[in-house]
Amino acid sequence: MTSNLFTFTPDPTLDLVLEREIDVPVELVWEAWTTPDSIKEWFCPKPWSVSSCEIDLRPGGKFNTVMRSPEGQEFPNSGCYLEVVPNQRLVFTDTLLPGFRPAPKPFFTAALLLEPTATGTRYTAIAIHGNEETRKQHEEMGFHEGWGTVVDQLVAHIKASIH
Amino acid sequence: MTSNLFTFTPDPTLDLVLEREIDVPVELVWEAWTTPDSIKEWFCPKPWSVSSCEIDLRPGGKFNTVMRSPEGQEFPNSGCYLEVVPNQRLVFTDTLLPGFRPAPKPFFTAALLLEPTATGTRYTAIAIHGNEETRKQHEEMGFHEGWGTVVDQLVAHIKASIH
């Protein structure tokens, strides 16, 4: 469909990067990231949860989730996918709604990059922002801790589903 | 690379649509839209001109142009491609900069849809906005007249380059 993929080169002043080596195969990481029922199990640091997830896995397709606080308050997130390369990269943004429509409250683009390793997967998540202020805000919201916890939950979910 | 393409369904309150039947083949329309030297010839209603054009034809790749007024004032436009399906559809936005980075002044997404006909091409351009206000602003800037003129210039450019 398209020519070669461009390489993401994070800008330390604008972007946040989480890189981890995990001992589960890329195919299962991909499946966990692209299946609504699976997303509900691990996508949000507990005791928060995901009460709803809609996925239309193609560029311009919907990626909506609703996060629920322990007190039951709900926070919807709407966005769309930008790149869908199975077992390799998944890019989505809240800057565009489904159908590539400009969103009312753009915040960031996320790139998930997966590479197979001898023992599992090199897992890289990049949060791409438009300015330093947004990057800082995301950092202060607990990007590193939150996304780190989510990787632990993802790995635990995959291992539980294998056994 | 991806699953099937979604169908654009313009929302009349938010989107602007220009549809034309033109008597040049889709392949030449595609080429004119994706070649910087060609873009400079027809992309801007004369006597305005395009003084610079950069194209990296892939999702997330750069699509930058600089428009120049008859008085010589320059207006840069930065954006990136979202979908690149040769001879069929080209989607780009100023909502994201190259590398899918959120842009400082998001305005709209453009979808160019091409279909071969018995005599040439069904040419559909959709300007997709985030709210009614932006749609109205774009309309008052002269979307229909401007994009219409540009199609005439595009067809004239293609015909001149054939003969």
Side-chain angles (χ1 to χ4, degrees):
Chain A
M1 169 184 163
T2 56
S3 53
N4 56 325
L5 301 171
F6 70 89
T7 305
F8 283 98
T9 47
D11 176 336
T13 65
L14 297 176
D15 303 329
L16 297 170
V17 181
L18 179 97
E19 195 174 331
R20 290 272 295 272
E21 304 277 338
I22 56 179
D23 60 350
V24 286
V26 288
E27 292 79 8
L28 297 184
V29 176
W30 181 263
E31 195 187 330
W33 260 94
T34 56
T35 313
D37 282 345
S38 173
I39 289 272
K40 289 182 186 174
E41 299 296 321
W42 62 267
F43 192 65
C44 202
K46 291 169 185 167
W48 283 60
S49 61
V50 174
S51 56
S52 160
C53 175
E54 291 175 280
I55 287 178
D56 178 10
L57 195 64
R58 50 187 174 174
K62 184 186 293 189
F63 180 40
N64 289 357
T65 54
V66 178
M67 310 258 184
R68 182 186 280 162
S69 77
E71 295 76 31
Q73 202 180 350
E74 298 204 316
F75 299 86
N77 299 283
S78 299
C80 78
Y81 292 104
L82 296 169
E83 283 199 304
V84 178
V85 188
N87 306 323
Q88 191 179 337
R89 67 157 78 179
L90 187 65
V91 185
F92 56 96
T93 191
D94 62 16
T95 302
L96 294 169
L97 301 178
F100 298 128
R101 183 177 302 286
K105 291 187 183 174
F107 186 55
F108 81 120
T109 294
L112 174 72
L113 310 176
L114 305 176
E115 282 173 77
T117 62
T119 54
T121 299
R122 178 171 299 113
Y123 179 103
T124 307
I126 310 174
I128 301 164
H129 307 94
N131 51 62
E132 280 196 56
E133 199 179 359
T134 313
R135 188 265 300 152
K136 207 174 160 188
Q137 187 186 343
H138 206 172
E139 205 162 18
E140 287 166 359
M141 282 164 63
F143 169 84
H144 290 289
E145 193 179 87
W147 286 58
T149 299
V150 156
V151 180
D152 293 337
Q153 293 180 177
L154 168 70
V155 172
H157 166 71
I158 290 172
K159 288 185 176 176
S161 61
I162 296 173
H163 299 299
Chain B
M1 168 185 165
T2 56
S3 52
N4 56 325
L5 301 171
F6 71 88
T7 304
F8 283 98
T9 46
D11 176 336
T13 64
L14 297 175
D15 303 328
L16 297 170
V17 180
L18 180 97
E19 194 172 331
R20 291 272 294 272
E21 305 276 337
I22 55 179
D23 60 350
V24 287
V26 288
E27 292 77 9
L28 296 184
V29 177
W30 181 263
E31 196 186 331
W33 260 95
T34 56
T35 312
D37 281 346
S38 174
I39 288 273
K40 289 181 187 173
E41 297 297 320
W42 62 267
F43 193 64
C44 203
K46 291 168 185 169
W48 284 59
S49 62
V50 175
S51 56
S52 160
C53 175
E54 291 174 280
I55 285 179
D56 178 9
L57 195 63
R58 51 187 175 174
K62 184 187 292 189
F63 180 40
N64 289 358
T65 54
V66 178
M67 310 258 183
R68 181 187 279 161
S69 77
E71 295 75 31
Q73 202 180 349
E74 298 204 314
F75 299 85
N77 299 283
S78 299
C80 78
Y81 293 104
L82 296 170
E83 283 199 303
V84 178
V85 188
N87 305 323
Q88 191 179 337
R89 66 157 78 180
L90 187 65
V91 185
F92 57 95
T93 191
D94 61 14
T95 302
L96 295 168
L97 302 177
F100 298 128
R101 184 176 302 288
K105 290 186 185 174
F107 186 55
F108 81 120
T109 295
L112 174 72
L113 311 177
L114 305 176
E115 283 172 77
T117 62
T119 54
T121 298
R122 178 170 299 114
Y123 179 102
T124 307
I126 311 174
I128 301 164
H129 307 94
N131 51 63
E132 280 196 56
E133 200 178 0
T134 313
R135 188 266 300 152
K136 206 174 161 190
Q137 188 187 342
H138 206 171
E139 205 161 19
E140 286 166 359
M141 283 163 64
F143 169 84
H144 289 287
E145 193 179 87
W147 285 57
T149 299
V150 156
V151 179
D152 292 338
Q153 292 181 177
L154 167 70
V155 172
H157 165 72
I158 290 173
K159 289 185 175 175
S161 62
I162 295 174
H163 300 300

